[in-house]
Coordinates of all heavy atoms in Angstrom, one line a residue:
F182 N 46.7 -97.3 -69.9 CA 46.1 -96.3 -69.1 C 46.7 -94.9 -69.4 O 47.9 -94.8 -69.8 CB 46.4 -96.6 -67.6 CG 45.7 -97.8 -67.1 CD1 45.9 -98.2 -65.7 CD2 44.9 -98.6 -67.8 CE1 45.3 -99.3 -65.2 CE2 44.3 -99.8 -67.3 CZ 44.5 -100.1 -66.0
K183 N 45.9 -93.9 -69.3 CA 46.3 -92.6 -69.7 C 47.5 -92.0 -68.9 O 48.3 -91.3 -69.5 CB 45.1 -91.6 -69.5 CG 43.9 -91.9 -70.5 CD 42.8 -90.9 -70.3 CE 41.7 -91.1 -71.2 NZ 40.5 -90.2 -71.0
N184 N 47.6 -92.4 -67.7 CA 48.7 -91.9 -66.9 C 50.0 -92.8 -66.9 O 50.9 -92.7 -66.1 CB 48.3 -91.8 -65.4 CG 47.9 -93.1 -64.8 OD1 47.7 -94.1 -65.5 ND2 47.7 -93.1 -63.5
A185 N 50.1 -93.7 -67.9 CA 51.2 -94.7 -67.9 C 52.2 -94.3 -69.0 O 52.8 -95.2 -69.6 CB 50.6 -96.1 -68.2
E186 N 52.5 -93.1 -69.2 CA 53.4 -92.7 -70.3 C 54.9 -93.3 -70.0 O 55.5 -93.7 -70.9 CB 53.5 -91.2 -70.4 CG 54.4 -90.7 -71.6 CD 53.9 -91.4 -72.9 OE1 52.7 -91.4 -73.2 OE2 54.8 -91.8 -73.7
E187 N 55.3 -93.3 -68.8 CA 56.6 -93.9 -68.5 C 56.7 -95.3 -68.8 O 57.7 -95.8 -69.4 CB 57.0 -93.7 -67.0 CG 58.4 -94.2 -66.7 CD 58.7 -94.2 -65.2 OE1 57.8 -94.1 -64.4 OE2 59.9 -94.1 -64.9
L188 N 55.6 -96.1 -68.6 CA 55.5 -97.5 -69.0 C 55.5 -97.6 -70.5 O 56.1 -98.6 -71.0 CB 54.3 -98.1 -68.3 CG 54.2 -99.6 -68.5 CD1 55.4 -100.4 -68.0 CD2 52.9 -100.1 -67.8
R189 N 54.8 -96.7 -71.2 CA 54.8 -96.8 -72.6 C 56.2 -96.6 -73.2 O 56.5 -97.1 -74.2 CB 53.8 -95.8 -73.2 CG 52.3 -96.2 -73.0 CD 51.4 -95.3 -73.8 NE 51.1 -94.1 -73.1 CZ 50.2 -94.0 -72.1 NH1 49.5 -95.1 -71.7 NH2 49.9 -92.9 -71.6
D190 N 56.9 -95.7 -72.6 CA 58.3 -95.5 -73.0 C 59.1 -96.9 -72.8 O 59.9 -97.2 -73.7 CB 59.0 -94.5 -72.1 CG 60.4 -94.2 -72.6 OD1 60.7 -93.9 -73.7 OD2 61.3 -94.3 -71.7
V191 N 58.9 -97.6 -71.8 CA 59.5 -98.9 -71.6 C 59.0 -99.9 -72.7 O 59.8 -100.6 -73.3 CB 59.1 -99.5 -70.2 CG1 59.6 -101.0 -70.1 CG2 59.7 -98.7 -69.1
A192 N 57.7 -99.8 -73.0 CA 57.2 -100.7 -74.0 C 57.8 -100.4 -75.4 O 58.0 -101.4 -76.2 CB 55.7 -100.6 -74.1
R193 N 58.2 -99.2 -75.7 CA 58.8 -98.9 -77.0 C 60.2 -99.4 -77.0 O 60.8 -99.7 -78.0 CB 58.8 -97.3 -77.2 CG 57.4 -96.8 -77.3 CD 57.5 -95.3 -77.6 NE 56.2 -94.6 -77.6 CZ 55.7 -93.9 -76.6 NH1 56.4 -93.8 -75.5 NH2 54.5 -93.4 -76.7
K194 N 60.9 -99.4 -75.9 CA 62.4 -99.6 -75.8 C 62.7 -101.1 -75.6 O 63.8 -101.6 -76.0 CB 63.0 -98.9 -74.6 CG 63.0 -97.4 -74.8 CD 63.7 -96.7 -73.6 CE 63.8 -95.2 -73.8 NZ 64.3 -94.5 -72.6
L195 N 61.8 -101.9 -75.1 CA 62.1 -103.3 -74.8 C 62.5 -104.1 -76.1 O 61.8 -103.9 -77.1 CB 60.8 -104.0 -74.2 CG 60.5 -103.8 -72.7 CD1 59.2 -104.4 -72.4 CD2 61.6 -104.4 -71.9
P196 N 63.5 -104.9 -75.9 CA 63.8 -105.8 -77.1 C 62.6 -106.7 -77.3 O 62.1 -107.3 -76.4 CB 65.1 -106.6 -76.6 CG 65.6 -105.7 -75.5 CD 64.4 -105.0 -74.8
L197 N 62.2 -106.8 -78.5 CA 61.0 -107.7 -78.8 C 61.2 -109.1 -78.4 O 60.2 -109.7 -78.0 CB 60.8 -107.6 -80.4 CG 60.0 -106.4 -80.9 CD1 60.0 -106.4 -82.4 CD2 58.6 -106.3 -80.3
E198 N 62.4 -109.6 -78.4 CA 62.7 -111.0 -78.0 C 62.5 -111.2 -76.5 O 62.6 -112.4 -76.1 CB 64.0 -111.5 -78.5 CG 65.2 -110.8 -77.8 CD 65.7 -109.6 -78.5 OE1 64.9 -109.0 -79.4 OE2 66.8 -109.1 -78.2
R199 N 62.3 -110.2 -75.7 CA 62.1 -110.3 -74.3 C 60.7 -109.9 -73.8 O 60.5 -109.7 -72.6 CB 63.2 -109.6 -73.5 CG 64.6 -110.0 -73.8 CD 64.9 -111.4 -73.1 NE 66.3 -111.7 -73.2 CZ 67.2 -111.2 -72.3 NH1 66.8 -110.5 -71.3 NH2 68.4 -111.5 -72.5
L200 N 59.8 -109.7 -74.7 CA 58.5 -109.1 -74.4 C 57.4 -110.2 -74.3 O 57.3 -111.1 -75.2 CB 58.1 -108.1 -75.4 CG 56.7 -107.5 -75.4 CD1 56.5 -106.7 -74.1 CD2 56.4 -106.7 -76.6
L201 N 56.6 -110.2 -73.2 CA 55.4 -111.0 -73.1 C 54.2 -110.1 -72.9 O 54.4 -108.9 -72.5 CB 55.6 -111.9 -71.9 CG 56.7 -113.0 -72.0 CD1 56.6 -113.8 -70.7 CD2 56.5 -113.9 -73.2
V202 N 53.1 -110.6 -73.2 CA 51.8 -109.9 -72.9 C 50.9 -110.7 -72.0 O 51.0 -111.9 -72.0 CB 51.1 -109.5 -74.2 CG1 51.8 -108.4 -75.0 CG2 50.8 -110.8 -75.1
E203 N 50.1 -110.0 -71.2 CA 49.3 -110.7 -70.2 C 48.1 -109.9 -69.9 O 48.0 -108.7 -70.2 CB 50.1 -111.0 -68.9 CG 50.5 -109.7 -68.2 CD 51.1 -109.9 -66.8 OE1 50.3 -109.9 -65.9 OE2 52.3 -110.0 -66.7
T204 N 47.1 -110.5 -69.2 CA 46.0 -109.7 -68.6 C 46.1 -109.5 -67.1 O 45.6 -108.5 -66.6 CB 44.6 -110.4 -68.9 OG1 44.6 -111.7 -68.3 CG2 44.4 -110.5 -70.4
D205 N 46.7 -110.4 -66.4 CA 46.6 -110.5 -64.9 C 45.1 -110.5 -64.5 O 44.8 -110.0 -63.4 CB 47.3 -109.3 -64.3 CG 47.7 -109.5 -62.8 OD1 47.6 -110.7 -62.4 OD2 48.0 -108.5 -62.2
S206 N 44.2 -111.0 -65.3 CA 42.8 -111.0 -65.1 C 42.6 -111.9 -63.8 O 43.3 -112.8 -63.5 CB 42.1 -111.6 -66.2 OG 42.6 -112.9 -66.6
P207 N 41.6 -111.5 -63.0 CA 40.5 -110.5 -63.3 C 40.8 -109.1 -62.9 O 39.9 -108.3 -62.8 CB 39.4 -111.1 -62.3 CG 40.1 -111.6 -61.2 CD 41.4 -112.2 -61.7
Y208 N 42.1 -108.7 -62.8 CA 42.5 -107.4 -62.4 C 42.9 -106.6 -63.6 O 43.3 -107.1 -64.6 CB 43.6 -107.4 -61.4 CG 43.4 -108.5 -60.3 CD1 44.2 -109.7 -60.3 CD2 42.4 -108.4 -59.4 CE1 43.9 -110.7 -59.4 CE2 42.2 -109.3 -58.4 CZ 43.0 -110.5 -58.4 OH 42.7 -111.5 -57.5
L209 N 42.9 -105.3 -63.5 CA 43.6 -104.3 -64.4 C 43.1 -104.4 -65.9 O 44.0 -104.5 -66.8 CB 45.1 -104.6 -64.3 CG 45.7 -104.4 -62.9 CD1 47.1 -104.9 -62.8 CD2 45.6 -103.0 -62.4
A210 N 41.9 -104.4 -66.1 CA 41.4 -104.5 -67.5 C 41.9 -103.3 -68.3 O 41.9 -102.2 -67.8 CB 39.9 -104.5 -67.5
P211 N 42.3 -103.6 -69.5 CA 42.8 -102.5 -70.4 C 41.7 -101.6 -70.9 O 40.5 -101.9 -70.9 CB 43.4 -103.2 -71.6 CG 42.6 -104.5 -71.7 CD 42.3 -104.8 -70.3
I212 N 42.1 -100.4 -71.3 CA 41.1 -99.5 -72.0 C 40.7 -100.2 -73.3 O 41.5 -100.8 -73.9 CB 41.7 -98.1 -72.3 CG1 41.9 -97.4 -71.0 CG2 40.9 -97.3 -73.3 CD1 42.7 -96.1 -71.1
P213 N 39.4 -100.3 -73.6 CA 38.3 -99.6 -73.1 C 37.5 -100.2 -72.0 O 36.3 -99.8 -71.8 CB 37.4 -99.4 -74.4 CG 37.6 -100.7 -75.1 CD 39.1 -101.1 -74.8
Y214 N 38.0 -101.2 -71.4 CA 37.3 -102.0 -70.4 C 37.7 -101.6 -68.9 O 37.3 -102.3 -68.0 CB 37.5 -103.5 -70.6 CG 37.2 -103.9 -71.9 CD1 38.2 -104.3 -72.9 CD2 35.8 -104.1 -72.4 CE1 37.9 -104.7 -74.2 CE2 35.5 -104.5 -73.7 CZ 36.6 -104.8 -74.6 OH 36.2 -105.2 -75.8
R215 N 38.5 -100.6 -68.8 CA 39.0 -100.2 -67.4 C 37.9 -100.0 -66.5 O 36.9 -99.4 -66.8 CB 39.9 -99.0 -67.5 CG 40.6 -98.7 -66.2 CD 41.6 -97.5 -66.3 NE 42.2 -97.4 -65.0 CZ 43.1 -96.4 -64.7 NH1 43.4 -95.5 -65.6 NH2 43.7 -96.4 -63.5
G216 N 38.1 -100.6 -65.3 CA 37.0 -100.5 -64.3 C 36.1 -101.6 -64.3 O 35.3 -101.8 -63.3
K217 N 36.2 -102.5 -65.3 CA 35.4 -103.7 -65.4 C 36.2 -104.9 -65.1 O 37.4 -104.9 -65.1 CB 34.7 -103.8 -66.7 CG 33.8 -102.6 -67.1 CD 33.3 -102.8 -68.5 CE 32.4 -101.6 -68.9 NZ 31.9 -101.7 -70.3
P218 N 35.6 -106.1 -64.7 CA 36.4 -107.3 -64.5 C 37.2 -107.6 -65.8 O 36.6 -107.6 -66.9 CB 35.3 -108.3 -64.2 CG 34.2 -107.6 -63.7 CD 34.2 -106.3 -64.5
N219 N 38.4 -108.0 -65.6 CA 39.3 -108.4 -66.7 C 39.1 -109.9 -67.0 O 38.8 -110.7 -66.2 CB 40.7 -108.1 -66.4 CG 41.6 -107.9 -67.6 OD1 41.2 -108.0 -68.7 ND2 42.9 -107.7 -67.3
I220 N 39.3 -110.2 -68.3 CA 39.2 -111.6 -68.7 C 40.3 -111.9 -69.8 O 40.9 -110.9 -70.4 CB 37.8 -112.0 -69.4 CG1 37.5 -111.0 -70.5 CG2 36.7 -112.0 -68.3 CD1 36.2 -111.3 -71.2
P221 N 40.7 -113.1 -70.0 CA 41.8 -113.4 -70.8 C 41.6 -112.9 -72.3 O 42.6 -112.6 -73.0 CB 41.9 -115.0 -70.8 CG 41.4 -115.3 -69.4 CD 40.3 -114.3 -69.2
A222 N 40.4 -112.8 -72.7 CA 40.2 -112.3 -74.1 C 40.8 -110.9 -74.3 O 41.2 -110.6 -75.5 CB 38.7 -112.3 -74.4
Y223 N 40.9 -110.2 -73.3 CA 41.4 -108.8 -73.4 C 42.9 -108.7 -73.6 O 43.4 -107.6 -73.8 CB 41.0 -108.0 -72.2 CG 39.5 -107.8 -72.0 CD1 38.9 -107.4 -70.8 CD2 38.6 -108.1 -73.1 CE1 37.6 -107.3 -70.6 CE2 37.2 -108.0 -72.9 CZ 36.7 -107.6 -71.7 OH 35.4 -107.4 -71.5
V224 N 43.6 -109.8 -73.6 CA 45.0 -109.8 -73.9 C 45.2 -109.3 -75.3 O 46.3 -108.7 -75.7 CB 45.7 -111.1 -73.7 CG1 45.4 -112.1 -74.8 CG2 47.2 -111.0 -73.6
R225 N 44.2 -109.4 -76.2 CA 44.3 -108.9 -77.5 C 44.4 -107.4 -77.5 O 45.2 -106.8 -78.3 CB 43.1 -109.4 -78.4 CG 43.3 -109.0 -79.8 CD 42.2 -109.5 -80.7 NE 42.4 -109.2 -82.1 CZ 42.8 -110.0 -83.1 NH1 43.0 -111.3 -82.7 NH2 43.0 -109.7 -84.3
E226 N 43.6 -106.7 -76.7 CA 43.7 -105.3 -76.6 C 45.1 -104.8 -76.2 O 45.7 -103.8 -76.7 CB 42.7 -104.7 -75.6 CG 41.3 -104.5 -76.2 CD 40.6 -105.7 -76.6 OE1 40.9 -106.8 -76.0 OE2 39.6 -105.7 -77.4
V227 N 45.7 -105.6 -75.2 CA 47.1 -105.2 -74.8 C 48.1 -105.4 -76.0 O 48.9 -104.5 -76.2 CB 47.5 -106.2 -73.6 CG1 48.9 -105.9 -73.2 CG2 46.5 -106.0 -72.4

Side-chain angles (χ1 to χ4, degrees):
F182 295 179
K183 292 180 180 179
N184 62 348
E186 187 52 45
E187 183 182 22
L188 184 57
R189 284 190 280 278
D190 182 57
V191 173
R193 294 184 189 99
K194 292 179 178 177
L195 280 172
L197 279 172
E198 67 271 15
R199 295 290 190 85
L200 172 64
L201 297 179
V202 289
E203 63 170 270
T204 60
D205 201 14
S206 55
Y208 317 107
L209 305 169
I212 291 174
Y214 306 105
R215 188 174 183 183
K217 300 178 181 179
N219 201 1
I220 54 175
Y223 298 162
V224 74
R225 187 176 183 107
E226 274 71 19
V227 178

